[in-house]
Every structure is written in structure tokens, then in C-alpha cells.
Amino acid sequence: MTGGDGGRSRGMEMLRWLLRRYGAMPFAEAEAAVLASEELSPLRTPAELRVAMLGLRRDGVLLAARNRWGDRTLYLPAEELAAWHSLLFAAVPEPLPFGERIVTAEGPARCPGPRGRAPLSRQLLRTWADLRRRGGLPLTANGALHRARAAKLAEAMELAPQELAPLLGAAAADDAAIQAALFLAIELGSELGVLGRTVGAIEAGSGDGWSGFDGTMEELDALLHSLLVRHYAPGDPGLHFAALSLGRLEPNRWYLERETREAFGMTERQPGRAGWDAWLRAAACFGWMEFGRRGEEETIRWTVRPHVGVPGKPGELSVPSGSSVPGVADVPERPVVYVQSDLEIIVPPEVGFGMRWRLEEIAERIALDHVSTYRLTRASCENAVRLGLRPERIAETLREAAGHALPAAATGAIEDWLRDVRTGEQAEAAGHTLRRSAWLAGPLLLLPRPEPLRDCEPDGSVPSRDELFPGLAAVPPAWLAQTRRYHASTRKDMAELALAWRTSLRIEPDGGGGYSFIPESLERLGESWSLVGRVRDAANGDVAAEAVAADSVMSARGTDRVALSVDSLGAIRLELPPEPRREL
Amino acid sequence: MSTAKLPLLIQSDGTIMLEDGHPGAESARELLREIAELKKRPGDWHTYRVTPVSLWNAAAAGWTGETMMERLNELARYGVPAALEKEIRDVAGRYGSLRLKDRGSELELKVRDSLLLEELLACRGLDACWLGAPDGLSVGVRKEARGWLKRELIALGYPVVDEAGYRSGEALPVRLLAEDGTGRRIRLRDYQEEAVEAFASGRTGAGGSGVVVLPCGAGKTWVGMGALARLQCETLILTSSTVSVSQWIRELRRSTSLDEDAIGEYTGDRKEVKPVTVATYQLLTHRKSKGGSYPHWKLLSDRNWGLIIYDEVHLLPAPVFRMTADLQATRRLGLTATLVREDGREGDVFALIGPKRYDAPWRSMELMGWIAKPSCTEVRVPLTPHGVARYREAPKRQKHRIAGENPLKLAAVRRLLSRHPKQPTLIIGQYLDQLNEVAQGLSLPVITGNTPQTERQRLFDRFNRGEISVLAVSKVANFAIDLPDASIAIQISGSFGSRQEEAQRLGRILRPKQSGAGVYFYTLISDETDEVEFARKRQRFLLEQGYEYEVDWLKEEALAAEEAGT
């Protein structure tokens, strides 16, 4: 065997397996090699898989770290998983054709609500706006959230604690779980620059002069998807893999769920299957995924555009806009809101978050839907002034948002309502305007995030071949180079060495032919020894039944085990996988 | 066509917004007229709502969930949310799953699938309706339970297609005259004829009961008379007020071949039961004590009515539904400007009166001039300096009256009257003192609640003949008064924020004018007072109906000078 295409494909195969089996979680090399040979193919030797991993390490794909006791673990860097996923799982399933009859169904998520769940972006906007309307969320003397106020705010989130369990684990199941959704809202708000922490409270930024995230709600959902995948999914490799896989499907298109799973190699037997289902449920509860049925088959579709890459700074996420998909709008050049003469404001989906944040400040929300609606009222305008907005900015903001003059009924109403606002009140209100500069630096972390490499030190060393195969230097080179008839005791030594190194033996029986044999155990058989293992063809790893020696005690078909008498092995040689080449 | 150019925005809760100025708006409006209810139409975006009843109305007109979705998908800018799609398919799919048929001495309910039949039979509340055990996919139903069963089933989410037929009623030869007594030619407008046809035959051939929706001033009475002439049977007409009763009777006498003897009035004043009888809901539902019986219900069984017309069906009181449940073998025509009821009982209208048979395209009717489009102006009148001081010092509950009775409003009225000389004008006020002062100041006749009925009628007649061009009226004008030529209304004061009152007052001038003259609706508001906000609330309903308000500010000095000059 050479280290050419076989080694290359083995490296890729191993990487695919590692990605699916461990995601960004660390693992012990030996354990992974054994598991891989069992799950990937019993006709791969752990030695080959260890060499493949060695190649991945040399190429910088796989990194190593050592814990405080000096144990080495390997891992795939989380931020590179999405890229590897798209490279290694290039074949994305085809969506079902347009016009296919799909009946929408509740699916496995069973999220409450008669009309499905609102996308997370809307739940968050509502929660953040409520937080601002209430003048922030006070912190206790020891920095904890004010419990009663937090409970009130948590009502704006539709997410139930158990729905967050797949992502947050125990944090969503303990006593504080009732507020887990709020914690999530605060963390994400802080990350996007919408919320900030002062010494005594968590506060929301002002919409006037907004400089935070300013993408559309669709982009916000994409960004939230990527943040959740990055921060919380790595703790469960199956779920993480599902998030990466499903994130590659086209939005607003139906897919057969089974076909999708199979396309990414997630069979019923895969250990990550539970994580796959958990992510589907989570995505539905975040209001991002819908379920349906085509006949008896389950179908899934994204209602948002999932993003799995690494987001940049808030507002810098680049999500492709527009689509050729029927039902998804082309984005007009300048998104505008429509201010009606009955003082209702219609906000189409392409309007950015910044404008919505401003509208939340000056108008009463009627409905947060794909198209949102607000109403301008006396109370909302007065509240905006109380929050620090200059009265004239209300009409200006709406004019900017509408892109043209407002209906006379709207300007007249604003003038009437704010005519009596005294200068003193304005000045006082201005003092309440939030100063972002007053926010404390640093992330606001309330929920546990998986930290698999906590207390680990990077380990840049790459093991030598001697480390991979202990005692290699003392082994006679002929054992590795030439297939020979050896003395029975030597054959036994070589068999034991193959077992220790978890590698294969080349066996050429006296009657002719030859095959590669993967030993699994050496058993005493009376006065002799019997080598139990699997037979494979040396060239391609497949079983070559016709080449198996006649004294096989069991059928060599498929992956069945055979037992060979050590006395009658004929010529043998130890097979070690070749040195890995730089291949990726 | 790019999706960005599509005219509909569709929400998951069934709200649909239509961009009115969109090139494809007409086609979208046509669709929505069939499958949704118009909620409001202020400015550029009109709001509709898909409801179970609107979907069943559409299904009754031949639509399926599939055809609705197909059209919606063609017109939706951002697609149809999956939750709504599911609801449309589910709800529309239920129409036709239950059919009621005549089986001689009893009725038969045919059910589409056995599971549903099992479910219905398991409803203990329906036990009294059934006759015997089910036979395959049908079950016998007592004849007298026809209305009650339909009402109960729609409450469970299952509309019944009633194919049990109607009795003919007593025959009554009647036709629309070629011209009325004044020589005016009588002919139903196209849309009125279409409405009559849709009611009588139905688009799917199953007419005979249902609702015709026409905007205010579009001639619902004519549709009623057209149905009468078409069915040629004795008819009971139920309406919302005595004034409306008079209006019906006047039109029936003027425009049909019926003798005066054939038309009866059944009101508090007169109790005539004739081949065509017009009665009020109030009288029908009147009873001496809360738990007592309804003595006038016998009117429903006094004659062999072949048709019952329910005018203003959105105002139909709850007891009338109960009566109607027992009248399911009689043809029923509902007339209304809107199917939306404040009490949310649209399902009862569907089950007991029938599905929507016709909904007029109001936009094209406006374009054709069949309904008037008024010019609405809010006139801001300043308070006098003395008035400002009084207003500020007054307790909150008195402020509204001070603002309402602002004396400078008299000058404002004078100025408005000079803008429209000799135009038939109504001045409508809330406060009698103010109304009398205005009437006195401008030498106008005044009608209040205290004015005897004969005197009222005399003044109305003089106004209609053009002998009086301006009439001052109190809140009696909120309810149906028939002054078809009034083209200008000036409301000088009103109750706090009654949107209904604003609409009713505007309704006084909405009937299209033979002269083709425009109609104007002025509301006088004391500036910088609570009246401004109350007016805003009052106006919202009309803004939602597509009327635009302009605001006109009058200067105190100018008004004061005008008053001094007079």
C-alpha cells in the first residue's frame, strides 16, 4: 500500500468521520481510532486511522492539546468546522420541486402556539424593546438580575426552558430555567450591541443615532443562527453536525427529511442521530423551521436563511439577499415603511433592524410578523420623549423611514400631541438618554457555554512513527519489508505485535494466493495458537474470499471473523500504513 | 413578474394588506372580495382578514383551498406563511363535509367521512337533533332542528351545506314599475341585478338564502325589492329603525306594482300584517319583562312568508337569530354594508341567514359614481381668550362641553355656509343650547328629540322639496333620517369619541345626488382642547373606510371680526 490516493482518501474519510462523531469536542486518539475502525469500516485498521489522524495533524487540520495531567487530546477547531463540512459533504440534497404538494404538519417539535412559532429575531426584538420600555433591568448588589423584574421580561420570550435544553443542557433544567430564555436574549443582545451593562443595570441602547446591527430581520435570524451554532452547539457533536448540515439547505424549500439525513451520512445507527433530531426540534422552536408531509414522508424547510459561518462584528454579516425562490421578495433599493393616514405604520421585511428599533421607541407595536405593523399614538410619542427623544425627531424619523412626506393626519397628530411638552421635560428626558459609553466593557455571559478545551494547553508537537508504533525501532526491518516463512514462535511474535499496533498482517498461504488479515485476538488452541480476525484484500480493503487459505475455520464472506492456525499461516509480513503525505 | 412588484402582504394571522395603487391591485381586490373581509382602507394599503367564515363564504361560491392558495401565491409579495396556508386548506376543506337534505318527513345529514360522523354523534349536545341510528354516512335529523343544528355545527367549526330546500310561500304577483310617480325611470343598476341573481340562483346554483354586501348609499333597498319581484311571494322585511321602515314603505309604494293595501307597517305605532310587511327588530324582540315571552314573534308565523329580508344584517339582535333558527324553510336575504359584527357572531349569520352571495366591487362603484365620495374637513376653531381661561380652570368633565360649545363656532358655521350657498345642509350638534343658539343666530329651523313627529316630518318634507336649504338637527340625526338630497353636513359638537356617531352622521349625506353635486362633511373642533383628540378617535373609523380628512385652521381675529360684522 502506498501513501498516495489511498492515504488521501483515508484522511478525508477520517476527517468526515471525526467531524460527524466529535464536531469540535476533544477526543483521545486511541479511542477514536478504535471507534472509527468499528463505525467507519471494520476493514480499516486502527493503525491506518491513527496514521490518517497523524496526517491531519501535520496538515494543521487536527489540533492537539494537553490537560493539566499531561493527557493529550485532539480536536477540530470549531471555527473551521463549517468550511470542512462544506468541503467534505459536498453533495447537498436536492430540494423538492416547486408545486410539490406538501401538507404542513406539526412535526416532532410540537412548539406551542396556534400559528407556529415566531422567528427568534422577533422574540428578541420584543424582549429587548420591553426591557427598554421598562427602563432597563436592574441588577442586585451582587450583580445578579432582579428576579421579579426578570420574570416579567421573560414573558416576552415564547421559548420554554425544555426547548432550550438541547443547547443549554442542565442550565435549562435547574431552578433558574424559567429565565433561561431571557438570559439567552440578554447575551445575544449584548453581543449585537443592543444591550449593555452599567454598574447597576442591563440597559438598551437608544434607537436615535443607532449604530449597532442594522441588517434585516432575515439577516438577524441568520446571524442568530450562526451565534447559537458557535456558542452552544459544540457541546453536542450530533447536534453540532446537524446544525452544520441543515444549515446548507436552501431556505423556503421543502426537503425530504430522510433524504437529507442520508445525504450527510446520518443513518439511523449513527451516534449523532439524537442530536440531529434535537436540532430539528430546536430550530422549529426558534421559529426557523417548518415541518410537513409528502404522503407518508416527513419534509422540512427553513423559513429563515440559516448561516453557519463565523460572524464578524455586529452588522457586518454578509448574507446573500434576494432569491429566485417564489415567495421571497427581491429587496428594493431603499427599504421604506408605509405610514398610513390612520396612523398605522407598515414595516415590510426588508426594513433594517435599526429602523425597527427606532419605531419600537416611538410607536405602539400592533403585530410583529413577516410584515410588522405599528401605530402612532399620543402615549407612544410622549413615551419616546420621556426616553430622551427630541419631539421634532419623531416626525423626522418617520419621514426618513417612509422616504417621503407623511400624511397630514400623522404630522398633525404629532404636532398636537407634542405641542404641550415643556422644554424642561425635554431637558430632563435628555438626561435619560442612554450613553453607550457608560456601558461596561466585556461580554455579558449568563449561560454556560461549552468549553471543551478549558484548562488545556496547546500541544504543537507531532508524534513520530515510533510513538505511533512503540518498539518499531527494535523490530527487524524484514518483518515489515518481506513476506516470509518464519519460525512458529516468530510468527506468534509478529501476530502479537500486529495486535499491539492494531495493524494488519500480509499472509501468503503455502497453496498460493495471499491476503491482508486484520487480527483481533490470539487464542490458544491446544498446543498451537489461533489468530482470529478479518480478511481483506490488500489492494482495496475488500474481502477476497477466494484467496483465503483452505484451513479457514469459518467463512470469510463479508466481514465475518475467521480463525487461522498460526502454525499454518505460510509466509507473513507485518503491514504498517505508509507515512502520511501532505495531502490537504 | 418580480415578487417585489406583487401587491399583497400576507401575515400568518390571516391579515392581508393590499397596495391600492399597485398595477395588479384590481385583480388582487377581486380575489380578496371573494375570500376575505375588508377591515379598513386608509391610505395606500388596505387591510383584509381571512376568517373561517370568509373562507366558507368563498367555498360556498365554488372556491377550494387549492384554488385560493394558487391565487394567493400568485399575488403574495413575500409568499403565504405556512401556518396560514394550513389553516386555509383545513378550514376551506371542511365546507361540503356536511350536507343537509330533505327526506320527506324528516331531514338527512350526509357526512363525508365516518370519523367525522362518529365525532358528531358523540357530541351529547346534538342528541336531540338525531332521528334514529346512522345509516352508513348519513343520519336522520328532525325537521325542527334544522337551524339549531346548523348553528351548533358551525360553532364546532363545521359549516353545513343546506340543500333541504325552501317552501314557496304565498304567491304574490309583483313587479318593479317602469317609472315612478315623478316620471323617473326605474331600472336596477347592473350590480343590483347581479346581486338579485346571485341571491336567487347562487353562483353554484344553490341560491335562496344568503347575504348581499353593498356599501352605504349603493341601494340595498333596491336589491330587496328586486328579490321580491323575482320570487313573487309574500315577504317580511325586518329593519333597524322606524325611519327605515318608512323609507322601505315609501320605496315599495313608489317603485313596485304593489297596492297600498298590500304593504303593511308593523311598528310601535301600527300593527299591520299585509302580504309585504315591514317591521323593526326592536319591536320583534320587545317583551314586557326580562324573562317573559316575545309577543310579536307570532308575526313570523302569521302568514306564509316566502321570503324574509334582514336589513342591516350586521345589527341583527341575538334573539332574532333564535327566531331565524326556526325559519330555515323560508328564503332569507340579508342586506348589509359589512359582514363584520361587533359581537363576533358572523358564524351565526352564515349558518342561519346564509353565505355571502354578492359583495359589490366598491372601487368600480365609486368610479361609476354609484356611491358618493365625500370631502371631509376638520375645521379647527380657536377658543376666545375668555374661553381659554374657562377651559383651563374647568374640571376635566366640563372641559369637553366648553370646547364643544365654543361660541366662535357660530362664525365658523356662517363661513362654511357662505362657501356652499343654497346647498342642502344639515347642522348637527350634541348640545341643545348650542344648537338653538346657532339656529337662532342663523334663523334656521331646528329639530331635536322634543320636536313632535309630525313637525319633524313636515320639516323633512320641506327640506326634501328644497324649500329649506339648511336644517339644524340634534343627535336624532345620528339615526336613519331620509334626507337623500342633503349634500353638506356640519357637525358642531359630538359625543366624546364615538366612531359610530361619526359614521352615522356622514351617512346622512352619502346617497348619490341626482344633481351630481359633491358632498362635504365638516367637523368643527375647538383647537388646543380635548376635542382634538376626541375628534381624532371619531375620525379613525372613517379614515379606515378610506375617507381622507383635511384640516383647516380658522383664525380667532378673523372669526371675531366676522361676528362683529354680522
Side-chain angles (χ1 to χ4, degrees):
Chain A
M1 186 192 284
T2 67
D5 287 346
R8 182 188 185 87
S9 66
R10 207 163 292 141
M12 297 291 257
E13 185 184 29
M14 188 64 192
L15 186 53
R16 276 166 67 101
W17 182 83
L18 289 172
L19 182 61
R20 196 166 47 218
R21 190 68 168 76
Y22 294 108
M25 291 296 280
F27 55 90
E29 180 188 46
E31 177 197 297
V34 173
L35 275 177
S37 73
E38 287 169 2
E39 291 177 12
L40 206 50
S41 163
L43 299 174
R44 292 267 179 272
T45 66
E48 288 163 350
L49 297 171
R50 272 171 24 236
V51 168
M53 282 191 275
L54 179 65
L56 293 173
R57 288 189 61 191
R58 284 186 183 165
D59 290 334
V61 176
L62 200 54
L63 304 184
R66 280 183 192 275
N67 64 20
R68 62 178 69 170
W69 299 278
D71 298 333
R72 185 164 58 201
T73 57
L74 304 179
Y75 66 96
L76 289 165
E79 60 274 17
E80 290 171 13
L81 288 197
W84 284 122
H85 190 284
S86 59
L87 189 74
L88 298 167
F89 297 91
V92 177
E94 285 295 315
L96 293 171
F98 289 115
E100 191 87 14
R101 177 153 168 72
I102 305 293
V103 178
T104 47
E106 195 176 35
R110 301 192 195 290
C111 292
R115 296 178 189 276
R117 184 62 65 80
L120 184 61
S121 60
R122 288 183 221 156
Q123 295 186 47
L124 291 177
L125 176 61
R126 194 162 45 218
T127 310
W128 297 335
D130 281 2
L131 188 144
R132 180 171 58 186
R133 207 164 288 124
R134 291 165 193 270
L137 179 58
L139 300 172
T140 60
N142 56 7
L145 297 182
H146 188 283
R147 204 174 168 79
R149 297 278 292 274
K152 263 278 175 234
L153 265 177
E155 289 169 8
M157 293 292 289
E158 294 174 55
L159 285 166
Q162 65 271 22
E163 292 167 359
L164 287 171
L167 282 179
L168 306 179
D174 66 15
D175 286 346
I178 191 75
Q179 293 176 6
L182 176 66
F183 291 172
L184 183 70
I186 292 173
E187 280 197 13
L188 293 168
S190 154
E191 191 148 1
L192 293 169
V194 181
L195 305 181
R197 181 184 171 157
T198 64
V199 175
I202 290 168
E203 294 183 338
S206 165
D208 206 27
W210 177 252
S211 59
F213 173 80
D214 201 19
T216 63
M217 294 301 270
E218 187 188 26
E219 288 167 347
L220 178 56
D221 274 308
L223 179 54
L224 292 169
H225 179 275
S226 110
L227 289 175
L228 289 182
V229 172
R230 185 163 60 129
H231 293 330
Y232 307 104
D236 178 341
L239 185 141
H240 199 178
F241 181 75
L244 296 173
S245 303
L246 292 164
R248 298 195 35 219
L249 304 184
E250 270 187 62
N252 300 302
R253 298 292 303 267
W254 287 108
Y255 291 82
L256 289 176
E257 195 271 338
R258 175 191 47 78
E259 206 172 273
T260 306
R261 221 173 345 102
E262 287 173 0
F264 294 111
M266 183 57 71
T267 59
E268 293 290 344
R269 293 181 298 109
Q270 292 286 348
R273 178 61 208 273
W276 178 278
D277 291 341
W279 180 248
L280 279 179
R281 275 195 300 277
C285 291
F286 289 131
W288 291 338
M289 182 159 281
E290 288 173 339
F291 299 98
R293 297 195 80 82
R294 188 185 72 168
E296 290 302 303
E297 295 217 71
E298 283 189 11
T299 56
I300 51 174
R301 79 170 165 187
W302 287 106
T303 56
V304 298
R305 191 182 295 274
H307 183 74
V308 287
V310 182
K313 289 178 192 167
E316 288 183 359
L317 176 73
S318 172
V319 177
S321 294
S323 165
S324 57
V325 183
V328 177
D330 298 336
V331 177
E333 282 177 13
R334 170 147 169 19
V336 292
V337 306
Y338 304 100
V339 182
Q340 299 267 82
S341 54
D342 67 345
L343 310 186
E344 200 164 301
I345 303 163
I346 298 171
V347 186
E350 60 268 16
V351 171
F353 179 85
M355 180 50 67
R356 290 166 191 270
W357 193 233
R358 267 166 284 189
L359 288 174
E360 286 282 344
E361 206 164 51
I362 61 180
E364 279 176 16
R365 186 190 322 124
I366 301 173
L368 270 183
D369 206 326
H370 199 51
V371 176
S372 296
T373 47
Y374 291 82
R375 172 168 286 130
L376 204 59
T377 66
R378 182 184 198 117
S380 70
C381 288
E382 288 175 350
N383 194 49
V385 173
R386 224 178 358 260
L387 283 169
L389 199 67
R390 284 180 290 115
E392 60 272 23
R393 281 295 295 150
I394 293 176
E396 282 169 17
T397 300
L398 286 174
R399 257 195 306 275
E400 286 162 22
H404 53 71
L406 301 178
T411 48
I414 296 170
E415 277 171 28
D416 287 337
W417 292 333
L418 300 179
R419 192 182 292 154
D420 296 333
V421 176
R422 295 193 300 275
T423 318
E425 285 175 350
Q426 287 178 45
E428 189 190 344
H432 292 146
T433 308
L434 218 86
R435 299 272 177 270
R436 278 162 182 266
S437 54
W439 287 358
L440 302 174
L444 241 167
L445 294 180
L446 303 167
L447 292 167
R449 294 182 180 182
E451 290 180 277
L453 295 172
R454 191 175 174 175
D455 299 329
C456 286
E457 293 286 328
D459 176 5
S461 66
V462 176
S464 66
R465 203 165 167 79
D466 276 354
E467 282 180 79
L468 278 187
F469 303 108
L472 178 62
V475 169
W479 287 14
L480 297 160
Q482 296 166 15
T483 309
R484 284 189 189 169
R485 293 179 60 81
Y486 291 99
H487 184 268
S489 62
T490 306
R491 287 203 293 268
K492 180 168 169 283
D493 289 346
M494 290 172 73
E496 284 174 341
L497 208 47
L499 281 168
W501 287 345
R502 312 296 300 262
T503 193
S504 57
L505 286 166
R506 174 71 189 171
I507 297 176
E508 292 178 359
D510 291 339
Y515 53 91
S516 180
F517 184 79
I518 305 170
E520 291 176 356
S521 62
L522 191 62
E523 294 170 6
R524 191 160 189 95
L525 197 68
E527 289 302 305
S528 183
W529 289 88
S530 175
L531 194 57
V532 179
R534 300 167 198 269
V535 174
R536 72 171 178 185
D537 175 77
N540 55 29
D542 291 335
V543 173
E546 68 284 1
V548 176
D551 65 348
S552 298
V553 293
M554 298 161 72
S555 163
R557 280 271 165 219
T559 55
D560 290 345
R561 286 181 174 78
V562 295
L564 306 176
S565 165
V566 173
D567 293 339
S568 54
L569 284 179
I572 66 169
R573 169 169 59 84
L574 274 167
E575 288 183 322
L576 278 190
E579 281 283 309
R581 296 192 328 195
R582 285 205 166 271
E583 52 190 30
L584 292 165
Chain B
M1 188 190 284
S2 159
T3 52
K5 295 196 178 89
L6 297 177
L8 296 184
L9 309 181
I10 304 181
Q11 304 281 68
S12 51
D13 68 354
T15 302
I16 300 180
M17 285 170 269
L18 162 70
E19 187 176 9
D20 187 46
H22 191 282
E26 195 49 49
S27 149
R29 201 176 290 115
E30 281 299 303
L31 170 68
L32 296 176
R33 198 155 59 89
E34 298 275 348
I35 69 165
E37 297 298 342
L38 175 64
K39 301 294 282 186
K40 57 177 189 167
R41 49 187 187 107
D44 298 331
W45 291 86
H46 298 176
T47 303
Y48 293 76
R49 187 77 182 256
V50 166
T51 67
V53 173
S54 76
L55 294 172
W56 293 328
N57 275 323
W63 289 79
T64 64
E66 192 65 38
T67 52
M68 290 184 222
M69 283 309 306
E70 208 170 279
R71 288 292 292 135
L72 284 172
N73 276 320
E74 284 168 9
L75 295 163
R77 189 174 298 184
Y78 304 106
V80 181
L84 181 63
E85 176 177 347
K86 184 171 181 294
E87 189 163 322
I88 287 174
R89 289 184 192 280
D90 285 354
V91 172
R94 284 186 222 157
Y95 186 84
S97 59
L98 300 176
R99 290 179 184 275
L100 203 56
K101 292 182 178 288
D102 190 21
R103 203 161 71 180
S105 61
E106 61 187 49
L107 302 174
E108 175 187 32
L109 184 70
K110 285 188 170 288
V111 184
R112 190 152 57 196
D113 68 74
S114 55
L115 280 178
L116 179 56
L117 180 59
E118 273 174 37
E119 199 181 311
L120 297 182
L121 293 174
C123 287
R124 301 193 65 180
L126 300 178
D127 285 348
C129 303
W130 312 131
L131 274 175
D135 174 15
L137 287 177
S138 71
V139 60
V141 173
R142 294 177 197 284
K143 275 209 159 164
E144 62 273 22
R146 182 171 172 181
W148 193 82
L149 178 66
K150 287 197 291 180
R151 195 175 174 188
E152 289 299 306
L153 289 176
I154 206 163
L156 291 171
Y158 286 92
V160 177
V161 180
D162 188 343
E163 295 169 341
Y166 308 99
R167 64 177 170 219
S168 314
E170 196 66 37
L172 178 68
V174 55
R175 60 183 166 75
L176 291 177
L177 298 173
E179 57 182 41
D180 65 14
T182 64
R184 188 178 59 173
R185 193 161 168 251
I186 295 174
R187 184 177 172 276
L188 291 186
R189 295 170 186 158
D190 290 349
Y191 66 84
Q192 290 164 338
E193 270 183 4
E194 283 169 21
V196 171
E197 181 58 29
F199 162 71
S201 305
R203 270 183 285 183
T204 54
S209 69
V211 179
V212 167
V213 183
L214 286 180
C216 287
K220 288 187 277 292
T221 311
W222 286 99
V223 174
M225 292 192 296
L228 170 64
R230 170 75 186 266
L231 296 177
Q232 304 271 313
C233 57
E234 294 200 354
T235 296
L236 175 63
I237 299 166
L238 301 174
T239 187
S240 56
S241 69
T242 49
V243 177
S244 185
V245 169
S246 307
Q247 188 183 331
W248 269 97
I249 290 175
R250 190 163 56 245
E251 290 294 353
L252 286 165
R253 285 177 182 163
R254 188 190 299 170
S255 311
T256 70
S257 59
L258 291 169
D259 292 338
E260 291 215 356
D261 288 353
I263 303 169
E265 173 184 336
Y266 197 91
T267 62
D269 296 337
R270 306 170 79 166
K271 304 281 185 301
E272 302 164 335
V273 181
K274 300 281 181 67
V276 174
T277 300
V278 189
T280 60
Y281 295 125
Q282 286 85 342
L283 190 70
L284 208 58
T285 55
H286 171 76
R287 53 184 171 171
K288 285 185 178 147
S289 62
K290 195 177 175 191
S293 59
Y294 295 95
H296 301 289
W297 278 26
K298 63 181 172 51
L299 173 63
L300 300 168
S301 54
D302 271 353
R303 297 189 81 99
N304 182 16
W305 306 116
L307 170 67
I308 301 180
I309 296 175
Y310 299 81
D311 195 11
E312 309 284 7
V313 80
H314 65 289
L315 298 175
L316 198 117
V320 178
F321 280 126
R322 287 204 293 280
M323 298 169 195
T324 304
D326 297 332
L327 297 168
Q328 293 300 299
T330 307
R331 287 185 171 81
R332 305 168 303 279
L333 168 62
L335 299 171
T336 185
T338 172
L339 283 174
V340 179
R341 288 178 58 98
E342 295 293 334
D343 61 5
R345 300 178 76 157
E346 291 87 351
D348 283 352
V349 174
F350 183 93
L352 299 177
I353 310 292
K356 178 172 75 177
R357 295 296 181 194
Y358 186 79
D359 192 349
W362 53 265
R363 171 50 60 89
S364 56
M365 291 171 66
E366 263 180 9
L367 293 174
M368 295 286 287
W370 297 132
I371 47 177
K373 184 148 194 198
S375 162
C376 302
T377 307
E378 177 186 311
V379 181
R380 297 280 182 97
V381 183
L383 287 172
T384 60
H386 172 66
V388 170
R390 254 188 88 211
Y391 181 82
R392 281 196 183 146
E393 286 159 15
K396 196 171 172 61
R397 61 194 159 78
Q398 283 178 19
K399 284 181 187 286
H400 184 63
R401 180 150 197 166
I402 293 170
E405 293 186 322
N406 178 4
L408 286 181
K409 285 186 179 178
L410 177 60
V413 171
R414 206 187 301 280
R415 182 183 282 199
L416 293 174
L417 290 177
S418 69
R419 276 191 206 170
H420 306 284
K422 297 194 177 159
Q423 292 292 307
T425 304
L426 296 176
I427 296 172
I428 310 170
Q430 165 90 352
Y431 305 111
L432 296 186
D433 291 347
Q434 179 194 29
L435 201 61
N436 286 325
E437 270 178 39
V438 169
Q440 206 173 357
L442 301 172
S443 305
L444 304 175
V446 60
I447 294 175
T448 69
N450 295 328
T451 311
Q453 188 64 38
T454 47
E455 174 63 7
R456 283 190 210 185
Q457 197 56 54
R458 192 183 67 79
L459 289 171
F460 287 155
D461 290 345
R462 289 189 65 204
F463 186 88
N464 283 337
R465 287 197 296 271
E467 293 165 17
I468 304 171
S469 64
V470 185
L471 198 54
V473 286
S474 72
K475 65 181 178 184
V476 296
N478 291 355
F479 306 100
I481 56 170
D482 190 25
L483 299 172
D485 288 332
S487 58
I488 293 159
I490 303 172
Q491 57 171 345
I492 54 177
S493 54
S495 54
F496 293 95
S498 168
R499 302 191 311 165
Q500 193 184 29
E501 183 177 81
E502 191 87 349
Q504 284 164 336
R505 289 180 173 180
L506 176 63
R508 301 304 106 229
I509 56 172
L510 274 185
R511 294 177 71 177
K513 310 297 168 251
Q514 286 184 323
S515 63
V519 293
Y520 299 86
F521 185 57
Y522 294 101
T523 306
L524 304 190
I525 301 297
S526 292
D527 201 15
E528 299 191 35
T529 69
D530 288 352
E531 224 181 9
V532 173
E533 205 53 33
F534 289 133
R536 200 180 321 280
K537 284 187 184 143
R538 292 161 61 94
Q539 290 163 10
R540 194 200 291 172
F541 177 73
L542 295 182
L543 284 166
E544 288 176 355
Q545 300 310 305
Y547 301 111
E548 296 284 342
Y549 271 84
E550 283 182 12
V551 181
D552 194 358
W553 274 271
L554 298 184
K555 297 271 183 253
E556 185 204 334
E557 301 76 21
L559 290 174
E562 279 173 33
E563 277 304 277
T566 58

